[in-house]
Amino acid sequence: MILCVAAKTNAKAILKQGRITMALDIEKVEMIIMEADEKLEKSTDVFISDLTQVRAGRANPHILDKIKVDYYGTLSPINQVGNIAVTDGQCLVITPWDKSLLKTIEKAIQVSDIGINPTNDGNVIRLVFPTLTEERRKEIVKQVKKMTEDAKVAVRNVRRDTLDSLKKMNKAKEMTDDEYANYEADVEKKVTKAIDNIDKAAAEKEKELLTV
């Protein structure tokens, strides 16, 4: 009788594990997993990008990645309006393709948070990276560790939200316990991989910071 009523109520209802369970909505699950994948990738990419902005005592062109200048009405990254070269390992030389941008680039760097004052000789802009003291290196390593933990928290939040969505489907009898367990294991693998990538990037940055 229950099965008959269930069948009339919804043709997708089936009997699994001794209870009435809706047929798994694959499309809905795929959307949940896809959203998790996108958030995990974004969290990892943002962390790695932020690491490139951390000064390590050597000239690093990536420190300019987030600085943009007005180029004929369009905000453009510095590496799209000129050439950036590393000299002597401690100096960045920016050669704009249009010299009229020299002062614009100089000002953009001055108001940024990179902490290095540019010099403009009328042809190029130079950024000299001061050698970091051992104490300063250790302070920056602590900063990297804090950034790393924040990135891991973001990844764990993705896991929590994803599993919560899957649990709701399980409680609503939209998936069986076995199906939930399988998806949970899949999410855990993705989260573990993201955290491993974060740890690897952080370890490489710390090594760079502590190498004199």
Side-chain angles (χ1 to χ4, degrees), residues 45-87:
D45 288 348
V46 167
F47 171 70
I48 293 175
S49 175
D50 287 346
L51 279 185
T52 65
Q53 311 300 309
V54 177
R55 287 171 49 194
R58 287 188 293 278
N60 178 8
H62 289 297
I63 200 170
L64 301 172
D65 285 353
K66 295 184 178 181
I67 301 177
K68 296 184 179 182
V69 296
D70 187 345
Y71 186 55
Y72 294 105
T74 301
L75 285 178
S76 306
I78 292 177
N79 62 7
Q80 290 184 13
V81 298
N83 182 61
I84 303 174
V86 178
T87 61

Side-chain angles (χ1 to χ4, degrees), residues 2 44-45 47 65 71 105 107 114 133 138-139 161 168 174 176 192 205:
I2 294 177
T44 304
D45 288 348
F47 171 70
D65 285 353
Y71 186 55
I105 294 173
K107 183 177 180 180
I114 67 173
T133 63
K138 290 180 179 179
E139 289 177 357
D161 294 343
K168 288 180 181 178
E174 295 177 13
T176 66
T192 297
K205 191 64 179 185

Side-chain angles (χ1 to χ4, degrees), residues 153-189:
V153 168
V155 167
R156 294 184 186 114
N157 286 343
V158 174
R159 173 176 58 190
R160 179 200 62 206
D161 294 343
T162 303
L163 293 183
D164 281 350
S165 296
L166 294 173
K167 284 177 183 176
K168 288 180 181 178
M169 291 186 67
N170 178 243
K171 290 181 178 179
K173 299 181 176 61
E174 295 177 13
M175 71 167 59
T176 66
D177 291 343
D178 286 343
E179 288 168 338
Y180 172 77
N182 289 334
Y183 284 116
E184 180 183 31
D186 184 47
V187 171
E188 291 292 350
K189 288 180 182 178

Side-chain angles (χ1 to χ4, degrees), residues 182-200:
N182 289 334
Y183 284 116
E184 180 183 31
D186 184 47
V187 171
E188 291 292 350
K189 288 180 182 178
K190 294 175 184 292
V191 168
T192 297
K193 182 178 179 181
I195 289 179
D196 286 345
N197 288 337
I198 289 171
D199 282 335
K200 181 180 178 181

Side-chain angles (χ1 to χ4, degrees), residues 12 76-77 85 105 109 124 128 135 139 150 153 168:
K12 292 184 178 180
S76 306
I105 294 173
I109 294 173
V124 300
V128 179
E135 181 180 358
E139 289 177 357
D150 289 345
V153 168
K168 288 180 181 178

